[in-house]
Amino acid sequence: MNNKKSIKIISINKVLLFVLFLVIIPNSLAILTYIHIAKTIYPGIVFLISILLVYLLFYKILQKKIDFDYSDDKIFINETIYFLSDLQSYNFSETNYIGTITLNFNKKKVKLYLRLNKNLEYQGLKDSILKLINTYNKRNNSKIEEFNWYKTKSAKVYGYITVFIMILWIAIMFIYPEKLKLSNLCLLLIVSAGLAPILLRIFGNNKSV
């Protein structure tokens, strides 16, 4: 194997710790300043300065390095081996700052969070995983597909509940004629128009994940 990469991912545990400190430290210092020093502008200044200090201290340590490697039918993340034969689906999502790679194996879900910000690591890793999956699918006549929420059981449940509520809404308007107003009918049509594309995508797929 010559595909080994050392990549930086965002540690969710460190992010949670960062948020916790970001809430506790600035507020605690501001309260202490208010009680023991002054009740004027000083608590606000201390609050803003402490937020800046916590941010500067934690920002650079939110990431950790992992080793990522792969062969024809395996993915190696640090010392853990994942077989592509166990891979059910995958997904890639991006925001302005973070790219997320999700690999859904039979017994475990792997999520890798990478900073974007002109960082090519995410795109390179995404391209490598897509190439690996496509090659594996062709060689083994497999069909590992990108995750589609509309094919999941939870989507079907959501769809059935939504349809039931819409039918109940219509039934109530006919049972209670005073509810059968033009404004209510227009609202029903607007809601139905908004939900129709979602319901069509849910019930237009036969497979469930």
Side-chain angles (χ1 to χ4, degrees), residues 152-170:
T152 62
K153 292 178 181 178
S154 59
K156 288 287 192 294
V157 171
Y158 169 83
Y160 287 126
I161 292 174
T162 302
V163 170
F164 173 76
I165 292 173
M166 298 302 293
I167 293 173
L168 186 62
W169 188 351
I170 296 170

Side-chain angles (χ1 to χ4, degrees), residues 14-27:
K14 290 182 180 179
V15 170
L16 293 175
L17 190 63
F18 167 69
V19 172
L20 185 64
F21 274 98
L22 198 60
V23 171
I24 293 175
I25 293 177
N27 284 287

